[in-house]
Amino acid sequence: MGIELAGGPAKEPGLLLDVRGLTKVFGSLIACNHVDLQIAKGEIHALLGENGAGKSTLVKMLFGTLAPNAGEILWNGKQVRIGSPGEARRLGIGMVFQHFSLFEALTAAENIALSLDSTTPISAIAAKAKELSQSYGLPLDPGSLVGDLSVGERQRIEIIRCLLQEPDLIILDEPTSVLTPQEADKLFETLERLRGEGKSILYISHRLEEVQRICDRATVLRHGKVVAHCNPRQETAGSLARMMVGGDVHEVHREHPDHVEGAPLIEIRNLSQAPKGPFSMPLKDISLTVRAGEVVGIAGVAGNGQGEFFDAVSGEAVQADPATVRIRSIDAGTLGITGRRLLGAGFVPEERLGHGAVPGMKLSDNMLLARHRSDAKAFLGGGALGFIRRDAIEATTKRVVEEMDVRKSAEDPEASALSGGNLQKFIIGRELDRKPSVLVVNQPTWGVDAGAAARIRQALIDLTRSGSAVIVISQDLDELFEIADRIAVMAHGEMSQTIPIQGATREKIGLLMGGADTGAH
Amino acid sequence: MRLELAKRPQHSKLFSALSPFIAFVLTVIAGAVLFALLGKSPGAALYAYFITPLTDLWSLHELAIKAAPLILIGVGLAVCYLSNNWNIGAEGQFVMGAVVGAMLPILYPGLQQSPLALPVMLLMGALGGAAYAAIPAFLKARFNTNEILTSLMLVYVAQLFLDWLVRGPWRDPAAMNFPQAPRFTGYAVLPELLPASGRANIGILFALVAAVLLWVLLTRTKKGFEIRVIGMSPRAGRFAGFSTRGAIFFSFLLSGALAGLAGISEVSGAIGRLQPSISPGYGFAAIIVAFLGRLNPLGIVAAGVVLALTYLGGEVAQIEVGVSDKVVRAFQGLLLFFVLACDTLIHYRIRFVPSERPAAVLPEAKSDA
């Protein structure tokens, strides 16, 4: 199975990749509809679009993991058919994935060796990786165990792995979503250096500021179609966002109160916890009080204990001392998640599928999942037998779907059939509908499109206005600056003091996120 | 050249429903080939195997006797498998249920004259099976032991224990040195349904009642919801506040109790006494029944009848066509193979991967940062 070469149509000079009319159909959904994309040699090209706009599908076709239904790909002016990632690499296309594919128990060099076709000894690979890491300003020790590395360092492994194959085109999928602002700056320097060497980069991102900062041209996708080719530097963030969503993005309305005098609704006192496994973070003496009417944001780079903190607060991991977690002034440390829900708390975990919702179950079943005790009177009958009252659950599901504008294809679809943003709106709506006095949300808008994200943020603000306390754990600093009244930072299982939003700057937060990070290595 | 299974983006609902029927047809075709290779006429052999047992009233009674334990055990196993607990040891729980239930008539023969004897024996049988299933459940919940191995190994312990009992302490002194316990009498015998036409007993009613009750439990109650959630997504189950350990014990104890009830019903009904072997592999065949019935208690009733037919048909084929009784196991194995193969192909498609391609695909490991 080789690469089919055919006499291409008229060459456009300087074009590395020329995609014409690429189309991919899944059943009744046209994921990519006659997409055109031109990438010149030595340019950083942005691919913009909301979730579900067809970015991933397009990239998968370029990297050979999906076969297009129609259209052609011209590489250096010659028509090619990319049948597998191996063929893409041989052409000179490299890819750095959003979700890393690394083995935690192996070293950086071993991970790199795994993806190479050749039988080069690992020591030679390590030496080459070291050389590349120095020349591109990507500090990395090839002998270190991946499990011990920060997310930023793991990304560097992926980038070096990609560079080792000397690609002409590098595809980066949401590369900064896991980085501190300082780490992102370093990445941008590397990208500019690569551009200087004549390499081309396809940069996929939601973050308009970054795109404007480093990208030469942009292709904007909406509902599988190209809606614009533009120069992002001649656009404003607002105009780019309008192209992406096809309308004005709803701005979150709020006023920051000077100080909050509400009653403390959730108090965490000296929460410590040993790590649960070799790659899990300990929690070190965390204390935090959130009052009625305020949003406290928890910033931090992924994997610094936020997941463990969420589990400890939600009661999926219980504490030995009841006073460690107090909800509405009642000791709740020894209560499980059901007991804490009954005290008026609601929780939204980071993983939508498989944690916040069962992928293969209908939305109405997923409604029952989180509310089988708090709404036992409405949802269950028959006393101890616990007969499920489908009509009541379906009515509540319908109410939440309407309230949060959840878009779905069937009356009561399985959770996995919804797009990420719509499922997240449902999961958050499921908790909001209970009017919880405390809501703890981990990554509320991770991978959610701009329209849905704005709606979710507004809903969180509205909840605090009605007198509830909200904790938002997020890696997205823009989001925290938009909705939080105070921000604390988690690094290596420790939590900083909260900083009132009026006194917080991105630099200050970024240093707290990254400072502790470098301190440990 | 090698084969790879690639997940289908959507699986066909139609074929999911048809899968047991396709599997059955494929089993019959494979059976025809099997008989032809053995030098028998496939038509006659298959007729003897699948049709003859249904042609007279007497053998329909036998069908009910064979189907009862298969259904009773199968519905319990369905609860286990739905909650992602792999109880493979129903055969052992069946034997221990029979042993514990038989304690009453063997150790206190006088009590067999009381009308309460049977209900007490059935209860003891269920408790015995449940207690025996509690061992792998405890080991899994406490030490994270693989329940497939522990429950399977305990089958042989139970079988040897029964063998020792009937050759040793519980041997009937009046049995001319045959290894068997005294015959049950009076109220210790499971009543027959229609004694005029055959020997089917009320065990089949237990099976039908259990199937209906478990269908209600699984589809209509919070407990059933909890079991399905934990089976499909343990992390979401914890988020819902459901206990994974609780589900381990619940499903093992329930399936153990039903297997134990089947065991005591079998010895107090169809067999009438304890003997070294009391089951032609019901506990294992019930695994096939559970999957053939798509883990749905009502589907399992139908699947139980089909598997019962393979036992009866095997006997008829042995007599009329002259094939080995091992053909029963072969048929059951084929059936399970085809059910699982159909289910796999509904969710995955086979992809041929040319061998010259280097193994350059990125490792699929996900790092949960």
Side-chain angles (χ1 to χ4, degrees):
Chain A
M1 286 190 130
I3 299 151
E4 284 170 24
L5 298 177
K11 256 191 191 177
E12 249 185 83
L15 268 194
L16 177 68
L17 180 75
D18 186 1
V19 170
R20 295 179 185 180
L22 212 58
T23 300
K24 180 73 195 178
V25 182
F26 296 109
S28 62
L29 175 83
I30 306 176
C32 278
N33 191 350
H34 292 90
V35 170
D36 296 330
L37 172 71
Q38 277 93 30
I39 300 178
K41 284 176 185 152
E43 82 164 340
I44 303 183
H45 193 105
L47 185 58
L48 279 170
E50 291 193 294
N51 265 57
K55 297 182 309 251
S56 304
T57 307
L58 176 60
V59 166
K60 280 180 186 160
M61 288 190 283
L62 295 182
F63 201 57
T65 50
L66 275 182
N69 296 97
E72 54 184 17
I73 301 172
L74 276 70
W75 179 258
N76 278 321
K78 291 203 177 88
Q79 194 174 346
V80 292
R81 206 180 61 82
I82 304 170
S84 72
E87 289 175 29
R89 285 196 203 100
R90 261 170 275 151
L91 276 179
I93 300 177
M95 170 124 192
V96 176
F97 291 93
Q98 180 180 8
H99 298 288
F100 305 146
S101 39
L102 297 171
F103 290 104
E104 297 200 335
L106 299 181
T107 66
E110 285 166 342
N111 267 290
I112 293 171
L114 269 176
S115 68
L116 298 180
D117 303 351
S118 63
T119 51
T120 322
I122 288 184
S123 56
I125 290 169
K128 189 84 203 291
K130 185 119 195 150
E131 185 194 318
L132 275 175
S133 80
Q134 279 162 358
S135 67
Y136 285 102
L138 296 164
L140 177 73
D141 173 11
S144 51
L145 214 57
V146 170
D148 298 334
L149 298 181
S150 73
V151 184
E153 287 169 310
R154 291 180 198 205
Q155 187 181 54
R156 283 178 217 149
I157 302 179
E158 291 267 3
I159 294 174
I160 287 169
R161 171 152 90 179
C162 179
L163 289 177
L164 267 175
Q165 291 153 352
E166 295 174 358
D168 298 311
L169 172 67
I170 301 166
I171 304 172
L172 291 158
D173 191 1
E174 303 269 350
T176 55
S177 59
V178 292
L179 302 181
T180 63
Q182 286 84 353
E183 282 176 318
D185 285 342
K186 270 190 219 158
L187 174 70
F188 297 152
E189 283 171 28
T190 306
L191 296 185
E192 275 159 11
R193 188 189 304 240
L194 286 166
R195 170 169 60 189
E197 292 176 4
K199 294 193 190 297
S200 306
I201 291 161
L202 181 60
Y203 188 92
I204 302 166
S205 184
H206 292 305
R207 299 191 177 178
L208 305 172
E209 285 173 22
E210 291 171 14
V211 167
Q212 289 186 298
R213 180 170 155 194
I214 62 163
C215 296
D216 306 303
R217 282 199 302 151
T219 296
V220 186
L221 286 179
R222 186 165 77 231
H223 300 313
K225 284 188 189 157
V226 173
V227 290
H229 295 287
C230 63
N231 180 342
R233 293 189 183 116
Q234 290 167 0
E235 302 290 332
T236 63
S239 67
L240 285 173
R242 270 194 296 280
M243 287 180 211
M244 272 165 58
V245 300
D248 282 302
V249 178
H250 173 77
E251 295 253 335
V252 172
H253 296 294
R254 63 160 326 173
E255 58 272 5
H256 291 290
D258 285 340
H259 58 278
V260 180
E261 285 291 348
L265 290 183
I266 181 157
E267 299 155 82
I268 295 145
R269 292 179 186 166
N270 309 106
L271 169 65
S272 291
Q273 182 181 291
K276 305 253 177 207
F279 304 119
S280 141
M281 272 283 156
L283 296 177
K284 297 172 192 161
D285 199 24
I286 292 174
S287 294
L288 178 70
T289 298
V290 186
R291 296 174 179 277
E294 65 171 349
V295 178
V296 169
I298 312 283
V301 175
N304 273 284
Q306 294 97 321
E308 289 80 358
F309 176 71
F310 178 86
D311 286 354
V313 175
S314 73
E316 285 186 71
V318 295
Q319 291 78 42
D321 177 2
T324 309
V325 175
R326 287 164 61 83
I327 295 169
R328 287 165 61 208
S329 303
I330 298 165
D331 289 349
T334 51
L335 295 178
I337 189 165
T338 303
R340 295 185 195 191
R341 283 195 179 113
L342 291 175
L343 287 178
F347 307 98
V348 178
E350 177 178 4
E351 285 288 326
R352 289 183 277 271
L353 289 172
H355 192 175
V358 181
M361 282 191 167
K362 292 184 288 191
L363 284 189
S364 55
D365 283 332
N366 276 302
M367 172 62 68
L368 185 62
L369 184 78
R371 294 174 53 169
H372 59 89
R373 274 302 294 281
S374 55
D375 295 69
K377 270 192 197 136
F379 288 175
L380 300 173
L385 291 174
F387 283 106
I388 295 169
R389 294 181 53 189
R390 292 233 72 94
D391 48 345
I393 298 169
E394 277 160 15
T396 310
T397 306
K398 208 166 169 209
R399 185 169 74 222
V400 167
V401 162
E402 278 165 15
E403 179 65 31
M404 293 300 289
D405 185 27
V406 177
R407 291 172 206 174
K408 55 193 174 57
S409 52
E411 180 59 31
D412 193 4
E414 291 181 358
S416 58
L418 260 61
S419 75
N422 280 309
L423 183 57
Q424 186 73 348
K425 282 193 281 187
F426 173 76
I427 291 175
I428 292 195
R430 177 176 75 188
E431 304 302 327
L432 293 176
D433 181 66
R434 278 178 55 211
K435 303 188 174 54
S437 46
V438 175
L439 185 65
V440 183
V441 192
N442 193 0
Q443 315 299 349
T445 60
W446 168 270
V448 167
D449 61 69
R455 169 142 209 133
I456 287 169
R457 290 173 192 151
Q458 188 64 54
L460 295 176
I461 300 279
D462 293 346
L463 180 69
T464 54
R465 278 220 191 112
S466 69
S468 301
V470 175
I471 298 178
V472 175
I473 303 168
S474 179
Q475 290 165 50
D476 185 346
L477 277 188
D478 295 333
E479 169 168 271
L480 293 181
F481 275 96
E482 195 175 338
I483 64 173
D485 300 296
R486 291 186 284 144
I487 296 181
V489 177
M490 276 198 88
H492 285 275
E494 288 180 86
M495 190 181 286
S496 73
Q497 293 288 324
T498 57
I499 303 168
I501 197 73
Q502 294 84 346
T505 60
R506 297 181 65 87
E507 286 64 36
K508 206 183 216 174
I509 303 291
L511 282 174
L512 281 170
M513 284 162 69
D517 190 30
T518 49
H521 285 283
Chain B
M1 178 91 122
R2 65 194 162 85
L3 298 176
E4 258 181 17
L5 287 177
K7 199 158 171 66
R8 294 178 194 269
Q10 283 143 327
H11 65 267
S12 155
K13 293 258 188 293
L14 175 69
F15 276 96
S16 287
L18 286 179
S19 145
F21 300 99
I22 298 170
F24 184 73
V25 169
L26 289 172
T27 307
V28 169
I29 294 170
V33 173
L34 188 80
F35 286 128
L37 290 175
L38 288 169
K40 315 284 178 192
S41 153
L46 287 176
Y47 187 86
Y49 206 101
F50 289 109
I51 309 293
T52 314
L54 299 175
T55 50
D56 62 68
L57 200 53
W58 168 85
S59 64
L60 290 179
H61 274 267
E62 293 302 309
L63 197 67
I65 286 179
K66 295 265 189 294
L70 290 171
I71 295 168
L72 211 45
I73 303 170
V75 290
L77 291 182
V79 172
C80 260
Y81 299 161
L82 283 172
S83 69
N84 214 0
N85 286 299
W86 300 94
N87 180 6
I88 307 297
E91 182 81 1
Q93 293 139 25
F94 178 93
V95 168
M96 289 312 265
V99 166
V100 174
M103 283 166 72
L104 183 137
I106 291 174
L107 299 180
Y108 306 99
L111 293 180
Q112 296 181 89
Q113 304 319 312
S114 157
L116 283 176
L118 189 64
V120 172
M121 281 165 62
L122 295 175
L123 183 67
M124 286 167 66
L127 290 176
Y132 204 58
I135 300 171
F138 170 77
L139 292 173
K140 180 178 182 183
R142 179 73 182 79
F143 301 108
N144 201 20
T145 319
N146 184 321
E147 74 276 21
I148 298 178
L149 295 178
T150 51
S151 63
L152 178 62
M153 290 192 292
L154 284 168
V155 170
Y156 306 110
V157 176
Q159 286 174 337
L160 292 172
F161 180 62
L162 169 67
D163 195 78
W164 172 75
L165 276 179
V166 294
R167 287 174 202 277
W170 284 6
R171 186 168 61 189
D172 182 3
M176 324 283 261
N177 229 1
F178 277 108
Q180 57 192 30
R183 181 164 276 283
F184 297 178
T185 57
Y187 285 105
V189 177
L190 207 60
E192 289 179 355
L193 268 181
L194 302 161
S197 56
R199 55 186 202 108
N201 56 50
I202 61 169
I204 187 71
L205 299 184
F206 297 164
L208 296 176
V209 169
V212 171
L213 287 181
L214 283 189
W215 181 78
V216 171
L217 175 100
L218 284 173
T219 58
R220 295 286 183 271
T221 69
K222 185 180 133 188
K223 192 74 196 169
F225 175 72
E226 179 178 336
I227 284 163
R228 286 184 292 124
V229 167
I230 287 177
M232 291 169 89
S233 180
R235 188 84 208 267
R238 251 177 293 153
F239 178 71
F242 297 146
S243 155
T244 313
R245 281 184 190 186
I248 294 174
F249 278 104
F250 178 83
S251 62
F252 265 93
L253 292 184
L254 179 72
S255 65
L258 289 172
L261 180 63
I264 185 61
S265 302
E266 183 73 7
V267 291
S268 92
I271 302 175
R273 58 152 58 100
L274 276 186
Q275 56 192 35
S277 170
I278 55 170
S279 158
Y282 287 137
F284 294 116
I287 298 170
I288 307 172
V289 170
F291 280 103
L292 190 65
R294 315 216 61 78
L295 303 183
N296 175 330
L298 301 185
I300 285 169
V301 172
V305 172
V306 170
L307 259 283
L309 192 58
T310 66
Y311 280 113
L312 280 191
E315 287 171 13
V316 178
Q318 202 180 338
I319 296 161
E320 292 192 358
V321 192
V323 292
S324 156
D325 65 337
K326 295 283 184 288
V327 85
V328 176
R329 290 290 175 87
F331 256 105
Q332 293 177 350
L334 283 171
L335 194 52
L336 179 63
F337 171 81
F338 283 121
V339 172
L340 295 181
C342 285
D343 284 355
T344 305
L345 291 177
I346 285 168
H347 288 98
Y348 298 87
R349 61 192 174 81
I350 294 179
R351 209 167 54 183
F352 295 94
V353 182
S355 54
E356 82 259 12
R357 197 179 115 195
V361 186
L362 286 172
E364 286 294 312
K366 286 251 167 75
S367 65
D368 302 18

